[in-house]
Amino acid sequence: MRLSLRLSRSPVLLALALPLAAALAFSDETLDKVPKSEGYCSRILRVQGTRREGYTEFSLRVEGDPDFYKPGTSYRVTLSAAPPSYFRGFTLIALKENREGDKEEDHAGTFQIIDEEETQFMSNCPVAVTESTPRRRTRIQVFWIAPPAGTGCVILKASIVQKRIIYFQDEGSLTKKLCEQDSTFDGVTDKPILDCCACGTAKYRLTFYGNWSEKTHPKDYPRRANHWSAIIGGSHSKNYVLWEYGGYASEGVKQVAELGSPVKMEEEIRQQSDEVLTVIKAKAQWPAWQPLNVAAPSAEFSVDRTRHLMSFLTMMGPSPDWNVGLSAEDLCTKECGWVQKVVQDLIPWDAGTDSGVTYESPNKPTIPQEKIRPLTSLDHPQSPFYDPEGGSITQVARVVIERIARKGEQCNIVPDNVDDIVADLAPEEKDEDDTPETCIYSNWSPWSACSSSTCDKGKRMRQRMLKAQLDLSVPCPDTQDFQPCMGPGCSDEDGSTCTMSEWITWSPCSISCGTGMRSRERYVKQFPEDGSVCTLPTEETEKCTVNEECSPSSCLMTEWGEWDECSATCGMGMKKRHRMVKMSPADGSMCKAETSQAEKCMMPECHTIPCLLSPWSEWSDCSVTCGKGMRTRQRMLKSLAELGDCNEELEQVEKCMLPECPIDCELTEWSQWSECNKSCGKGHMIRTRMIQMEPQFGGAPCPETVQRKRCRVRKCLRNPSIQKLRWREARESRRSEQLREESDGEQFPGCRMRPWTAWSECTKLCGGGIQERYMTVKKRFKSSQFTSCKDKKEIRACNVHPC
């Protein structure tokens, strides 16, 4: 139910629609001075009240604290008060810069209500948002949808009502300025405005670096089976959209988002063969963070003038439907050339198909399906990314897209990097490995693709990592190795050779229990230039067993994850792999299938590595029982001191976050006892106290705020003679008081006023009542005007504490 307040002498309060009259102490004289304005919503910008400079306990904040807005994008806007402050009402508007707000076109963007019990649009100014009900509050939230391109800068302004109205601020904590963003940022999709004018084609390599780990995202981090699924995407034209923020996930996107399976997505991409130049695929990454000795997943693709955009996605696993990726990244420059390098940090986004809020939430389809959107730190208190202060989410991955070659005649002839100029490299003859015994290396990575896609000579590279250098006086050879090469099908011996992609990950098993089939696919990256047919298989199938014995007590398990790193850095150690329970037994029994496996692993001999450390211990408990604290973990030095110094850290400290600490109710001291409410006989008197802080987060509730006790002044006398004596005494007392008032009366222009009367009793014991007092005219001089000499009245709120 919406409450309205009609004050014929206060158009400003009427414009704000504040149902708080009982709580605002405005005198009649103050209301008479309010100017009247009939402009479009402009009167809410000229509201009267007490403004305090630097009103820092109230703040208006846009999620992520951006300085720019993207046209058409939704932003979460929060108006908050720092405890113990609070506000009862508010008004929120968005104006174009340097506009007054007196015309409809002065306002920018649109607000969207999140909680109808908290917020509503103004009845007489529908572009503004105000409160639905008057009550104490410390925070409200709404969505603001940014205006279309070309609007320019926008000013978000707020006013708050606590006791009196606070002005709209032109600067400070209740004002936020956002200017229009003219290019894509943070991976948000922007439709290309101009067609590409570049010539020839360009070849790129996409490399994906996972940074989602327990160290960077400690809350509820899934230690088992954390991974990124196989990457799937393509280079395409502006007429085809693989996925985009604000759009709906296709069936292929849904399967990637929920299952990590790229099969359906690849099928959808290949069906758009006229709009797609290259299908982008790369292997899955286990674990989710990037180990130093494992090559990051990568894929190569090409672009041309009509298909100059690239999009890709990969699932964050385990999760309900969370992914990362790029959408419609334009690799064509305005100068008719090809972008040299793109480096983009990625945050997770929600596909809108599953309503889970934690990494391992059970399946809960979102019906109806919602639009794709970025995750935020305020989505749900149980979310692993939740931050009560509404900060930005720490990036979980980084993608690097680097140009490795250009082909065909180029419009832009300005040389921009040596990557397109490949020198001839003479083959190095190595009859034996000349690596010194004091240098400990990892294994060589696979050879990269040739830098030349034609029959011109190019080069390819492989890498290895230097793990230990036992003798600093003996130099260790390079960690990179190069070889000359040519494009596929250029040499005599490989003229009929097919170039195949890597196998993508296995599809889910065809059945949920028992023995079924699964498959995986690959595709032809380069057909033989001699015109022969590729005979290499593009699909493989094999049997898979989910549960050998299907019964009501059977479990549905995920596939085994990759093996963890060896527990020892040298000598004999152990390594583990894990899987999870996807579906518990139907009869409610415990799942008996094993969720982890361990086996021995051998590392180089320990005497060759001077620094030998034990594995990290488990993280300690948080140092606090609520709120923000710290936690630690340790490891030990296991190698002997004489083998060399070890500078590795043995202890790590990081922040931890537990639920907010409970805040108990806080009250003022008791007031003095009131006078007895009877002049004779039995009566009562009361005392009160006010609530300074409402209980929060499960704190102790507020005790009573009103107390009363009996009082008895004297017996009421019924003897007429004695009663007359009492009357005579009272009359003499009033006469003496009148003489005092005549000497104490206040002087006003044109008249003399009697002193203010005492405040009347409060109309309510709790929940907000009213007290009144009066000042009457004692004597009016002949020269006075009626409007300047009249009785006065004041009203104030009382007993505003809740009942």
Side-chain angles (χ1 to χ4, degrees), residues 90-108:
F90 71 94
T91 306
L92 185 61
I93 63 170
L95 289 178
K96 297 176 183 176
E97 191 175 26
N98 300 322
R99 297 294 184 93
E100 297 297 327
D102 53 0
K103 296 188 292 293
E104 184 175 0
E105 57 266 26
D106 290 355
H107 297 261

Side-chain angles (χ1 to χ4, degrees), residues 230-270:
I231 291 173
I232 183 67
S235 57
H236 58 93
S237 72
K238 64 180 181 180
N239 299 323
Y240 177 48
V241 178
L242 276 73
W243 72 272
E244 64 177 345
Y245 291 132
Y248 290 97
S250 66
E251 182 61 30
V253 172
K254 178 182 178 181
Q255 288 194 15
V256 175
E258 296 186 12
L259 306 175
S261 172
V263 176
K264 182 65 177 178
M265 187 72 209
E266 183 178 353
E267 178 184 330
E268 292 178 353
I269 295 172
R270 293 190 182 278

Side-chain angles (χ1 to χ4, degrees), residues 107-401:
H107 297 261
T110 56
F111 289 104
Q112 192 176 81
I113 301 299
I114 296 177
D115 187 348
E116 293 184 352
E117 294 184 358
E118 287 285 338
T119 54
Q120 66 179 8
F121 293 106
M122 278 190 167
S123 59
N124 55 351
C125 182
V127 294
V129 177
T130 188
E131 77 284 348
S132 295
T133 56
R135 66 173 184 81
R136 289 186 181 219
R137 48 173 59 83
T138 58
R139 171 184 290 193
I140 65 96
Q141 290 185 340
V142 296
F143 282 122
W144 177 69
I145 295 89
T151 303
C153 295
V154 177
I155 310 295
L156 294 172
K157 291 185 176 184
S159 72
I160 63 100
V161 175
Q162 190 186 38
K163 294 181 179 178
R164 288 177 180 262
I165 303 168
I166 307 303
Y167 265 15
F168 285 94
Q169 291 192 5
D170 294 329
E171 59 184 20
S173 61
L174 289 179
T175 295
K176 176 68 176 178
K177 178 179 179 181
L178 298 174
C179 290
E180 186 175 342
Q181 178 78 30
D182 59 0
S183 62
T184 304
F185 68 100
D186 287 343
V188 176
T189 302
D190 255 345
K191 292 289 185 184
I193 299 175
L194 299 176
D195 290 333
C196 179
C197 58
C199 301
T201 63
K203 190 173 184 179
Y204 287 88
R205 178 181 294 114
L206 177 153
T207 309
F208 183 85
Y209 299 95
N211 189 37
W212 175 44
S213 66
E214 189 173 12
K215 183 175 182 180
T216 59
H217 299 80
K219 183 180 178 183
D220 300 332
Y221 185 76
R223 297 184 179 180
R224 299 180 180 180
N226 57 81
H227 69 284
W228 296 105
S229 71
I231 291 173
I232 183 67
S235 57
H236 58 93
S237 72
K238 64 180 181 180
N239 299 323
Y240 177 48
V241 178
L242 276 73
W243 72 272
E244 64 177 345
Y245 291 132
Y248 290 97
S250 66
E251 182 61 30
V253 172
K254 178 182 178 181
Q255 288 194 15
V256 175
E258 296 186 12
L259 306 175
S261 172
V263 176
K264 182 65 177 178
M265 187 72 209
E266 183 178 353
E267 178 184 330
E268 292 178 353
I269 295 172
R270 293 190 182 278
Q271 288 175 352
Q272 300 288 331
S273 56
D274 293 339
E275 308 295 339
V276 176
L277 180 60
T278 309
V279 178
I280 301 173
K281 298 198 291 187
K283 63 181 181 180
Q285 180 175 315
W286 296 77
W289 47 271
Q290 184 62 45
L292 293 177
N293 61 341
V294 176
S298 62
E300 295 178 5
F301 64 94
S302 299
V303 291
D304 60 18
R305 175 178 290 189
T306 60
R307 293 161 293 189
H308 52 96
L309 307 177
M310 72 81 56
S311 304
F312 83 93
L313 66 159
T314 175
M315 173 202 181
M316 172 189 285
S319 71
D321 58 347
W322 299 341
N323 294 249
V324 300
L326 290 181
S327 176
E329 182 72 24
D330 196 348
L331 299 176
C332 183
T333 68
K334 296 179 180 179
E335 295 77 22
C336 300
W338 297 108
V339 173
Q340 176 63 39
K341 189 174 185 179
V342 176
V343 179
Q344 186 73 266
D345 289 326
L346 305 175
I347 61 171
W349 50 268
D350 190 308
T353 61
D354 192 294
S355 300
V357 295
T358 65
Y359 291 125
E360 300 180 78
S361 293
N363 290 336
K364 186 180 180 182
T366 301
I367 302 175
Q369 184 174 335
E370 295 178 352
K371 294 181 178 179
I372 297 173
R373 64 171 184 85
L375 293 179
T376 74
S377 59
L378 295 173
D379 285 334
H380 195 283
Q382 294 181 3
S383 167
F385 307 108
Y386 180 71
D387 179 2
E389 298 177 359
S392 58
I393 292 179
T394 303
Q395 56 95 5
V396 295
R398 170 175 290 182
V399 63
V400 177
I401 303 170

Side-chain angles (χ1 to χ4, degrees), residues 309-525:
L309 307 177
M310 72 81 56
S311 304
F312 83 93
L313 66 159
T314 175
M315 173 202 181
M316 172 189 285
S319 71
D321 58 347
W322 299 341
N323 294 249
V324 300
L326 290 181
S327 176
E329 182 72 24
D330 196 348
L331 299 176
C332 183
T333 68
K334 296 179 180 179
E335 295 77 22
C336 300
W338 297 108
V339 173
Q340 176 63 39
K341 189 174 185 179
V342 176
V343 179
Q344 186 73 266
D345 289 326
L346 305 175
I347 61 171
W349 50 268
D350 190 308
T353 61
D354 192 294
S355 300
V357 295
T358 65
Y359 291 125
E360 300 180 78
S361 293
N363 290 336
K364 186 180 180 182
T366 301
I367 302 175
Q369 184 174 335
E370 295 178 352
K371 294 181 178 179
I372 297 173
R373 64 171 184 85
L375 293 179
T376 74
S377 59
L378 295 173
D379 285 334
H380 195 283
Q382 294 181 3
S383 167
F385 307 108
Y386 180 71
D387 179 2
E389 298 177 359
S392 58
I393 292 179
T394 303
Q395 56 95 5
V396 295
R398 170 175 290 182
V399 63
V400 177
I401 303 170
E402 191 167 14
R403 197 180 75 219
I404 56 177
R406 291 184 295 193
K407 184 178 180 181
E409 184 177 353
Q410 301 293 315
C411 311
N412 184 355
I413 60 173
V414 178
D416 47 12
N417 202 285
V418 75
D419 76 306
D420 298 321
I421 305 170
V422 182
D424 291 343
L425 297 176
E428 298 180 9
E429 298 293 338
K430 293 186 178 180
D431 296 332
E432 59 182 4
D433 188 2
D434 57 356
T435 303
E437 294 183 357
T438 56
C439 300
I440 307 300
Y441 287 92
S442 66
N443 294 328
W444 285 106
S445 69
W447 286 105
S448 68
C450 190
S451 61
S452 173
S453 60
T454 67
C455 290
D456 296 329
K457 288 187 177 180
K459 60 179 179 179
R460 62 177 183 170
M461 181 190 71
R462 62 177 181 172
Q463 301 181 80
R464 60 181 176 178
M465 185 181 67
L466 180 62
K467 300 176 67 174
Q469 187 173 357
L470 307 183
D471 188 349
L472 297 179
S473 63
V474 179
C476 292
D478 295 334
T479 57
Q480 292 183 332
D481 188 17
F482 295 90
Q483 246 188 16
C485 60
M486 289 187 294
C490 293
S491 61
D492 294 336
E493 62 272 13
D494 63 358
S496 61
T497 301
C498 293
T499 303
M500 307 296 292
S501 70
E502 296 290 333
W503 289 104
I504 62 174
T505 53
W506 289 102
S507 67
C509 201
S510 60
I511 62 173
S512 60
C513 190
T515 301
M517 298 297 294
R518 65 176 185 173
S519 63
R520 64 177 182 175
E521 296 177 333
R522 62 179 178 178
Y523 62 97
V524 180
K525 291 180 67 176

Side-chain angles (χ1 to χ4, degrees), residues 478-671:
D478 295 334
T479 57
Q480 292 183 332
D481 188 17
F482 295 90
Q483 246 188 16
C485 60
M486 289 187 294
C490 293
S491 61
D492 294 336
E493 62 272 13
D494 63 358
S496 61
T497 301
C498 293
T499 303
M500 307 296 292
S501 70
E502 296 290 333
W503 289 104
I504 62 174
T505 53
W506 289 102
S507 67
C509 201
S510 60
I511 62 173
S512 60
C513 190
T515 301
M517 298 297 294
R518 65 176 185 173
S519 63
R520 64 177 182 175
E521 296 177 333
R522 62 179 178 178
Y523 62 97
V524 180
K525 291 180 67 176
Q526 182 73 46
F527 286 92
E529 294 193 0
D530 60 5
S532 59
V533 178
C534 284
T535 58
L536 296 175
T538 58
E539 183 176 4
E540 283 185 351
T541 59
E542 69 174 18
K543 292 183 179 180
C544 54
T545 301
V546 179
N547 237 340
E548 293 182 356
E549 298 179 1
C550 293
S551 66
S553 61
S554 300
C555 298
L556 180 60
M557 309 295 292
T558 63
E559 297 292 327
W560 285 106
E562 298 292 327
W563 288 102
D564 294 340
E565 287 187 328
C566 193
S567 61
T569 55
C570 69
M572 182 69 71
M574 298 294 293
K575 61 180 181 180
K576 294 182 179 181
R577 65 175 183 175
H578 308 277
R579 62 178 179 178
M580 295 185 300
V581 178
K582 292 180 65 176
M583 186 178 297
S584 298
D587 60 5
S589 61
M590 294 295 293
C591 193
K592 299 179 181 179
E594 61 178 1
T595 57
S596 62
Q597 288 182 343
E599 68 176 28
K600 295 179 180 179
C601 51
M602 177 63 72
M603 300 298 285
E605 292 296 328
C606 288
H607 69 271
T608 63
I609 299 179
C611 185
L612 182 60
L613 298 166
S614 68
W616 284 108
S617 67
E618 296 291 330
W619 285 105
S620 66
D621 293 335
C622 201
S623 60
V624 296
T625 56
C626 61
K628 296 180 179 179
M630 305 296 291
R631 64 176 187 172
T632 61
R633 66 176 182 176
Q634 296 85 23
R635 60 181 176 181
M636 298 175 58
L637 179 64
K638 297 171 67 176
S639 58
L640 299 176
E642 57 268 17
L643 293 179
D645 295 330
C646 184
N647 298 321
E648 298 289 337
E649 61 179 346
L650 300 179
E651 183 176 24
Q652 288 183 342
V653 180
E654 70 174 14
K655 297 178 181 178
C656 51
M657 183 75 181
L658 294 176
E660 295 286 351
C661 298
I663 300 176
D664 296 337
C665 177
E666 293 184 10
L667 301 163
T668 62
E669 297 295 328
W670 287 106
S671 66

